[in-house]
Amino acid sequence: MKFLGKLITALLVVIFVALIAAYFLLQTRWGATQVSSWVNEKSDYNFSFEKMSHRLASPTHLTLTKVTFGRKGQPATLVAQNIDIDLSSRQFSEPMHFDKILLQNGTLNLSPNAAPLPFQADMLQLNDMALNSPNTAWDLRAQRVNGGVTPWQPQPGKVLGNTADIQFSAGSMTLNGVPATNVLLQGAINNQQVTLSTIGADMARGSLTGNARRLADGSWQIGSLRLNDIRLQTEKSIADFLAPLATVPSLKIDSLEVTDARLEGKDWAVTDLDLSLRNLTLADGGWQSDDGRLSMNASDFINGDLHLNDPIVNIDFSPQAATLRQFTSRWERGMVRASGVWLRNEKKLALDELVFAGLEYTLPEDWKARWMKPLPEWVHSVTIKKLSANRNLVIDIDPAFPFQFTALDGTANNLEVVRNSQWGIWSGNATLNASSATFNRVDVRRPSISLNATDNQISITELSAFAGEGMLEATGAISQAPQRNAAINLRGRSVPVNVLQQWGWPALPLEGNGNLQLSVTGSLAAQAALKPTVNGTLQATSSDGKQVQQTMQNGDVPGA
C-alpha cells in the first residue's frame, strides 16, 4: 500500500510539474507555435498567435498577441494585435463560451464566406478595429471601430450572430461607396431584423442623424432621417444615383428632412436643396401613402439640358393620387407654374393649370424625335384643364426649316396632350398668337391660330398672319388616324407672290405683290417623308393682272 501511495503521489507530482511546464511553455513563442500547428493540422482553419499571456494575480484573464484566424484557402476572418479573454466558471460546461472577448488593433471580416468563429461570449468588445463586408449587399469598410455586441453568438455567415444588442462608433466608414466619418450606431439584431435606434455620422461635409429598421424580407422603415449641409459629388447619373431605392422590396419613410444640400453627379446637380418628406412608402416601382406630403425647394436644379431656377414643389399623397398643390420655377429666363393631380390607377397626370410666361426657349435639336417617341409606361395620359402662355420667345434652329415666335401668347382649355403614352393634341381647343414670327427665313407679323381637337381630327378654324403689305389666311384639318392625312386651304391678299417659295412651293414666274389661292393635301404620318404625299393646286394673280395656275403632284410641280 505504501508503494501504491508513493506511486500515485509521484504521478500527481509529474502531472503538476507537466501542467506548470505547459503553463509556462504556452506563454513562449515556441509554445504558441506548437499550439497553432496542432490546430492547423487537426482542423480546416488557419490559426496562429505569437504569444499567450496570463497572470496568476488575474486567473480569469487571458491575452493572445498577434492573432490570425480564418478558413483555409480564404482571407482571414480575424486579425488582431491583441485578444483579451475573460474566463468564467462557464468554461467547465461550455469551454468555448467566454465572459468577455476584447479585440484590439485588427480587422474583422463580416463576409458570408468568412470562417465561422468557434467561440462565443457574453460580450464582444472592439477597440480600434477595422470592419469589412465585401461581397455583400452592404459593401462596408470601417476604420477605428470601437463598440460592443451583447451577447456575441456568431453563426455561419453571421459574424454578429442572430440576436444581440449592438453599439459601434467608427472614425471613418464607406458604405456602398458613400464615405462618412465620426459614425455612431446603436441598436439591436433580432434574427433577420435589424433595428438602428441611433444613427449619426458626418458625411459629405455635412451631418446625418436618424433611426431606422431593416425587416426580415430586406425592407427598410425609416423612422426619422435628417441630412444637414450635405455637399456630395458622384460620378453616377441621377438614375444610377437613385437606383438603390428600387433594389429593396420596400422603403417606408416616416420623416425625411434635408437642409441646405448640394448634390452633383453626371449631367445633373441640385444646389441649396431643402426637402421635407412625410409618410411615404416606395415599393414595386411605385409609391404608397395614406397621408403623405412632400415639400421641396432649391436654388438650382439641372438634369441634362433642363435647368430650373428656384423651383418649389409641394405634393400631397393619398392612396389613389398624388396632388400637385404647387409647382413654380424660373426657367429659360421666364417662369413656369403648374398644379394638378397624378392618378395612380389611370397612370394619368391631370393638370388644372399650366402657365408659361416670359420664356426665351430654344427647342432641342431632336425635339421632333422626342415628340414621336412614346413616353414611359407609367405615363399613359396627360391633360391640361387650362393653359396660358404670355410673352414667350420660342426658337427652332433646325437648318432644314428654322422658325421663331416672338411675344407668343396663348390660351387653351381641356387639352389632352398625351394619350396611350404618345404625344399629340388629342382633344381640347387652343388659340395662339405672337407679335411676329419667322418661318424658314420668311418674316410675318401678328401670326394667329385657333384649333379644336376631337378623337377624329384637329380642325384649324383660323390661321392668319400679315406678310408684306397684305395678309395670309388659312383653314385646315389633320386626321387623328395614324396616316395623319392633312388638308389646308390658304388665301393671300396683296402678299409677295413668291412667299410660298421658302415653304416648299417652287418659284412662280411672277414678281411683286399679288393674290394667292392654295389648296393642298398630304400625310403627316410618323417616320414618313411629307413631300411625296403632297398634292394640290395654286392660283396666283400679280398686281399687274398676270395669272399663273400650277398643280403639284407627289411633291413636284411639272415644268416649274
Side-chain angles (χ1 to χ4, degrees), residues 9-85:
T9 302
L11 289 175
L12 291 174
V13 171
V14 170
I15 292 172
F16 179 74
V17 171
L19 291 174
I20 296 297
Y23 173 77
F24 285 104
L25 286 174
L26 285 174
Q27 299 186 61
T28 65
R29 292 179 181 273
W30 180 86
T33 301
Q34 297 304 310
V35 172
S36 301
S37 299
W38 183 84
V39 172
N40 294 335
E41 291 175 3
K42 302 298 182 180
S43 69
D44 294 329
Y45 301 111
N46 284 324
F47 174 69
S48 66
F49 66 98
E50 186 174 283
K51 184 180 178 182
M52 182 184 74
S53 301
H54 182 264
R55 294 183 301 165
L56 294 177
S58 301
T60 62
H61 187 77
L62 187 68
T63 301
L64 302 179
T65 303
K66 294 186 178 179
V67 181
T68 301
F69 175 82
R71 192 191 302 272
K72 290 181 178 178
Q74 297 290 336
T77 300
L78 172 65
V79 177
Q81 181 67 29
N82 293 300
I83 298 181
D84 289 343
I85 302 173

Side-chain angles (χ1 to χ4, degrees), residues 78 96-101 103 108 110 117-126 148-155 158-165:
L78 172 65
M96 302 304 290
H97 190 109
F98 304 98
D99 185 54
K100 178 182 176 182
I101 297 178
L103 306 180
L108 181 62
L110 307 179
L117 299 174
F119 31 80
Q120 301 179 353
D122 292 339
M123 174 182 285
L124 171 68
Q125 187 173 349
L126 306 181
V149 180
T150 307
W152 184 49
Q153 299 171 331
Q155 303 292 327
K158 301 176 182 177
V159 175
L160 301 182
N162 286 323
T163 304
D165 293 328

Side-chain angles (χ1 to χ4, degrees), residues 139-152:
D139 185 5
L140 171 68
R141 304 183 187 279
Q143 292 77 39
R144 303 192 304 279
V145 177
N146 297 285
V149 180
T150 307
W152 184 49

Side-chain angles (χ1 to χ4, degrees), residues 231-300:
R231 303 291 185 266
L232 179 63
Q233 289 184 322
T234 176
E235 297 180 353
K236 296 180 180 180
S237 66
I238 191 168
D240 293 338
F241 180 73
L242 298 176
L245 298 178
T247 60
V248 296
S250 70
L251 174 63
K252 183 177 183 295
I253 303 172
D254 292 336
S255 175
L256 171 63
E257 300 285 343
V258 179
T259 304
D260 193 25
R262 296 187 180 183
L263 312 175
E264 182 177 353
K266 182 180 179 181
D267 297 328
W268 68 276
V270 58
T271 60
D272 302 329
L273 172 65
D274 294 330
L275 181 148
S276 176
L277 180 61
R278 296 281 193 277
N279 302 326
L280 183 70
T281 299
L282 303 177
D284 301 325
W287 53 269
Q288 300 170 5
S289 179
D290 290 330
D291 184 22
R293 175 170 293 187
L294 169 67
S295 297
M296 181 176 65
N297 62 80
S299 294
D300 292 277

